[in-house]
Amino acid sequence: MDQYLLLMRLDIITKEAQPSPEQLQVYMKQYHEWVAGIAAENKFVSGTALSTEGRVLQSDKVPIDGPFAEIKESIAGFITIRAESFDDAAKIGADCPILNGEGNSVEVRKITSVNENG
Amino acid sequence: MAARTEEEIHATGKKWMDWMGGIAAQNKLVSKGNRLFPNGKVVKPGNVVTDGPYTEIKETIGGYSIIKSDSYEEAVDLAKGCPIYVIGGNVEVREINEM
Amino acid sequence: MDHQEIIPNLFRTEYRKIVSVLSKRFGFEQIEIAEDIASETFLTAAQTWGLGRIPENPTAWLYHVAKNKAKNHLQRNALFEGKIAPEIKSATSDLYDGDIDLSPENINDSQLQMMFAICHPSISQEAQIGLSLRILCGFGIEEIAAAFLSNKETINKRLFRAKEKLREERIEIAFPEPAKIEERLSTVLTTIYLLFNEGYYSVSQNKTLRKDLCLEAMRLCVMLVENKSTGTPQANALLSLMCFHSSRFEAREDKNGELVLYDEQDTNLWNADLISKGGYFLNCAARGDQLSRYHLEAAIAYWHTQKADAKEKWENILQLYNRLLQIEYSPIAALNRTYALSRANGKEEAIVEAEKLKLEDHHFYFALLGELYTDIDNQKAAQFFERAISMARTQGDKQTLQRKIDKFRPADIPD
């Protein structure tokens, strides 16, 4: 099985689009249930959530504040999974609860090599 | 991007490895992360699946690494060593929110 | 050879076999009885051989005596526990004859299984190494104490506590189940690796003893490699690594027992046989798709056996250290990586990287900085070497560093 990266993109900049603490709790619960389901299939490799601030470095190497903001949607987190194929990975990604929100997306990318371990 | 000679690819590979090795030598590498194949799929609400990487913007994500640092400044300094700028790329530094 | 020479030699090779086979038969909880019987066997040999002639086949003689002593023990035990059936109460000692199996196969299996029992994560690595030296390598307590720069009493206590703990954990002398073998083997390999390092980098001045530690580590690894279920790519890589390193055993020490630095070694003293063995096992390690730290370290060690000081050599070593550090960080690997960087990319770049490391607890860190600043800023270099000398643990290390300073012009040396 190959490994795939699922990048979760959502609007973390526009004020009105941010969830209330109660909503966030519901979202996190849904998210954890989704991840648990993947793990139950032994397809979960690792997951990382990101805080909303950030810095961007371009070729002049002068850091700019804020996440990469050419577009409204930024990466909120990513998880690595094992999947049989791109389609299989996309199917898993389609169940991601962030897709309940308009404008959000999950990008599915294949990882080039996973041959090293300790 | 114009086709690169094998030598160029090799030289770039070395720059990447030296950069990553330098971070690891400071014991600040959490995970070397991964490089990603350029193609991909995007899933949007309503189970809409499109081919290709996320293309609202020209730049797609080529890979990621996880490092540890005491501050954003330190993380940014480590990111400055990344060889991606040579080919017009950029690096986004984001703090990890433990789940 | 008279008996005064032959007995210590046989003790080193046969004691461990007898202990392993008997412990396996009796169970780990009776390991001390197994050790006692093995010791008594050698005592009997010393008494008997000292009086008359040495038997034609001393090993067979030892096995025979050990077997009889073991049978006596089992009989006494059975009688004591009253479990013996009435009809065989008058049994001869033949009852347990087939029971104590000192065939080469069983000796080999028992020793491998003992390796798994001793190298158990429930006891500390130090205890694993100590027990390995005693039970798997047949080292005397005094030798172990010398290797650890400790005393007999401390070592005895340490071994006793380790055995107690293994008994509490009800450790069995058996192969781990297939699903667990990889995980358990990794502990065994770590212990062998540390045992080798103990010999290779030891602060002990006893060269023969240090070499013995290395050879024993290699012997244990050979046993693993030769067995189908334990001869994994990692085990092969570890053995390869040890072969490459030990190929420089003669070259890395001068006549006075002082350490000769890699760059100053007489490459004619490198052992070509061990280098080619290292290559063989590295090839065997290439099976499968796992790249462990042993693979990378073996590949680094391979490049060190290449005499020509080509840029390619240091470039390869640098890249291997880059990858090794990503799998497992260690201060020594970070320092070595920076040295390789200086050879591959130049000293200026390496100085910038070295100063980021901030490994100020290690005298090697200052030795490296001294090395990097040599010919760039000799005054600074001398200061770093001085600082390294003040932290170095052994006289040999201090002398080696002092020689570096002595090469500078007097004007460069700080007061």
Side-chain angles (χ1 to χ4, degrees):
Chain A
M1 262 197 273
D2 291 314
Q3 291 194 3
Y4 292 83
L5 186 74
L6 306 186
L7 293 150
M8 294 165 275
R9 274 198 173 82
L10 48 111
D11 182 352
I12 56 173
I13 303 168
T14 318
K15 224 175 173 184
E16 303 78 64
Q18 302 318 305
S20 68
E22 293 76 29
Q23 277 171 319
L24 189 67
Q25 221 169 2
V26 175
Y27 292 164
M28 286 314 287
K29 187 167 174 289
Q30 290 173 338
Y31 175 79
H32 284 298
E33 278 165 9
W34 174 60
V35 170
I38 301 172
E41 285 185 72
N42 194 21
K43 286 180 175 171
F44 179 75
V45 180
S46 70
T48 307
L50 305 172
S51 76
T52 50
E53 21 153 25
R55 305 279 187 283
V56 179
L57 286 155
Q58 287 170 325
S59 54
D60 58 6
K61 300 191 188 177
V62 178
I64 307 164
D65 273 353
F68 194 73
E70 303 294 309
I71 42 161
K72 195 160 89 244
E73 291 78 20
S74 314
I75 293 170
F78 55 85
I79 76 165
T80 310
I81 59 163
R82 273 184 289 271
E84 302 287 354
S85 64
F86 242 122
D87 289 332
D88 185 22
K91 214 174 281 166
I92 293 172
D95 292 331
C96 177
I98 71 153
L99 292 173
N100 295 331
E102 199 59 39
N104 298 344
S105 68
V106 173
E107 180 179 348
V108 183
R109 298 282 294 277
K110 191 173 168 187
I111 285 168
T112 59
S113 62
V114 277
N115 57 359
E116 285 173 30
N117 63 53
Chain B
M1 201 190 305
R4 288 187 289 167
T5 65
E6 202 169 308
E7 229 166 83
E8 278 175 318
I9 293 170
H10 190 79
T12 316
K14 170 174 165 54
K15 279 186 197 144
W16 278 96
M17 287 305 287
D18 286 354
W19 174 54
M20 202 68 86
I23 295 174
Q26 297 173 58
N27 200 14
K28 288 177 182 162
L29 191 72
V30 177
S31 150
K32 74 185 171 70
N34 288 294
R35 285 177 301 147
L36 305 172
F37 282 111
N39 53 338
K41 284 186 189 296
V42 180
V43 190
K44 292 194 168 165
N47 217 351
V48 180
V49 183
T50 52
D51 270 345
Y54 191 77
T55 48
E56 304 296 311
I57 39 166
K58 204 164 79 248
E59 294 84 5
T60 49
I61 293 171
Y64 66 93
S65 308
I66 301 176
I67 57 157
K68 53 188 172 198
S69 69
D70 292 324
S71 64
Y72 251 114
E73 286 62 42
E74 193 187 337
V76 163
D77 275 340
L78 293 170
K80 282 179 184 167
C82 178
I84 197 79
Y85 311 108
V86 182
I87 55 163
N90 60 53
V91 176
E92 181 175 343
V93 182
R94 294 280 294 279
E95 189 180 348
I96 284 176
N97 200 351
E98 290 293 344
M99 277 191 289
Chain C
M1 251 195 281
D2 67 14
H3 76 281
Q4 276 166 339
E5 255 176 86
I6 198 168
I7 287 181
N9 285 339
L10 282 170
F11 187 89
R12 182 54 76 72
T13 57
E14 304 308 321
Y15 173 85
R16 59 191 180 217
K17 295 180 188 166
I18 295 171
V19 170
S20 292
V21 166
L22 296 187
S23 309
K24 183 171 160 52
R25 170 60 185 80
F26 300 162
F28 191 88
E29 63 284 359
Q30 296 200 41
I31 188 170
E32 264 129 9
I33 294 171
E35 287 182 276
D36 284 347
I37 291 177
S39 300
E40 279 167 27
T41 301
F42 280 92
L43 195 67
T44 312
Q47 287 161 351
T48 319
W49 301 358
L51 291 174
R53 60 185 186 93
I54 297 170
E56 228 162 85
N57 186 341
T59 308
W61 191 97
L62 289 171
Y63 289 178
H64 182 76
V65 172
K67 213 175 198 176
N68 281 337
K69 288 184 192 289
K71 278 189 287 187
N72 289 340
H73 164 73
L74 286 173
Q75 268 177 333
R76 272 199 307 271
N77 236 18
L79 283 169
F80 181 73
E81 288 176 14
K83 282 178 186 162
I84 202 159
E87 65 267 27
I88 50 167
K89 243 181 187 157
S90 60
T92 64
S93 57
D94 288 346
L95 173 59
Y96 297 101
D97 214 32
D99 223 21
I100 314 284
D101 178 3
L102 280 154
S103 67
E105 297 78 33
N106 194 46
I107 286 175
N108 207 37
D109 277 0
S110 303
Q111 287 191 99
L112 279 172
Q113 291 166 6
M114 184 62 101
M115 232 185 266
F116 281 101
I118 289 173
C119 301
H120 194 273
S122 69
I123 57 171
S124 73
Q125 276 174 335
E126 213 174 34
Q128 291 178 34
I129 295 174
L131 275 185
S132 297
L133 283 173
R134 179 66 185 153
I135 293 164
L136 298 171
C137 309
F139 272 50
I141 299 294
E142 227 157 294
E143 287 171 303
I144 301 174
F148 283 117
L149 294 185
S150 182
N151 56 52
K152 275 175 82 172
E153 201 176 306
T154 310
I155 297 296
N156 264 326
K157 265 190 214 153
R158 185 186 298 168
L159 298 190
F160 179 77
R161 274 199 301 267
K163 280 186 269 192
E164 279 291 282
K165 177 78 187 159
L166 290 175
R167 259 192 291 261
E168 279 168 29
E169 298 281 327
R170 300 187 179 282
I171 301 303
E172 280 178 34
I173 302 172
F175 282 112
E177 44 191 296
K180 284 204 171 150
I181 203 147
E182 198 169 330
E183 187 192 332
R184 292 288 311 281
L185 185 61
S186 120
T187 315
V188 176
L189 294 179
T190 306
T191 304
I192 292 178
Y193 179 73
L194 293 174
L195 183 58
F196 183 86
N197 285 350
E198 192 66 41
Y200 203 73
Y201 301 106
S202 168
V203 282
S204 158
Q205 292 297 314
N206 185 335
K207 185 180 171 186
T208 323
L209 175 65
R210 293 209 320 257
K211 202 170 169 180
D212 271 356
L213 288 174
C214 292
L215 292 176
E216 284 299 327
M218 289 165 78
R219 188 185 59 81
L220 294 176
C221 204
V222 167
M223 287 179 64
L224 291 172
V225 162
E226 284 176 349
N227 184 286
K228 223 171 113 195
S229 60
T230 55
T232 60
Q234 271 97 321
N236 277 283
L238 175 58
L239 184 55
S240 159
L241 158 69
M242 295 191 290
C243 289
F244 284 139
H245 273 317
S246 53
S247 71
R248 288 193 299 278
F249 223 104
E250 295 307 318
R252 65 201 284 272
E253 235 166 67
D254 66 13
K255 284 188 210 85
N256 308 320
E258 276 185 43
L259 190 71
V260 180
L261 294 177
Y262 177 75
D263 277 337
E264 293 158 10
Q265 285 172 10
D266 176 359
T267 55
N268 292 319
L269 293 175
W270 293 358
N271 184 320
D273 182 42
L274 280 167
I275 292 175
S276 88
K277 281 203 174 93
Y280 171 78
F281 291 115
L282 191 55
N283 261 328
C284 298
R287 282 179 288 126
D289 55 4
Q290 287 200 343
L291 191 65
S292 66
R293 59 176 296 196
Y294 303 123
H295 285 87
L296 291 168
E297 286 187 53
I300 290 167
Y302 160 77
W303 280 104
H304 277 97
T305 64
Q306 298 301 297
K307 296 177 185 181
D309 221 9
K311 190 171 159 50
E312 183 207 7
K313 166 175 165 177
W314 290 104
E315 180 55 38
N316 275 295
I317 293 176
L318 169 63
Q319 294 312 330
L320 289 160
Y321 271 121
N322 280 343
R323 293 165 82 175
L324 176 64
L325 281 161
Q326 292 171 37
I327 290 183
E328 193 164 300
Y329 169 84
S330 76
I332 291 297
L335 293 169
N336 285 336
R337 183 252 175 197
T338 312
Y339 180 73
L341 188 78
S342 78
R343 302 296 296 259
N345 294 9
K347 282 188 171 180
E348 284 80 5
E349 195 181 325
I351 287 173
V352 175
E353 290 284 296
E355 284 171 350
K356 290 181 191 164
L357 300 181
K358 301 194 171 58
L359 291 168
E360 276 146 21
D361 296 338
H362 297 257
H363 81 268
F364 289 120
Y365 178 59
F366 295 105
L368 172 71
L369 282 169
E371 200 66 53
L372 296 179
Y373 272 109
T374 299
D375 296 333
I376 287 184
D377 182 342
N378 281 349
Q379 208 168 340
K380 238 177 165 171
Q383 282 168 2
F384 282 125
F385 282 133
E386 291 283 3
R387 190 142 175 211
I389 289 172
S390 72
M391 293 169 75
R393 280 192 302 163
T394 69
Q395 212 47 44
D397 281 351
K398 286 182 198 289
Q399 283 161 359
T400 309
L401 290 162
Q402 187 57 48
R403 281 202 298 273
K404 298 259 178 196
I405 296 179
D406 294 344
K407 281 184 194 157
F408 295 139
R409 287 178 303 122
D412 290 334
I413 300 170
D415 299 326

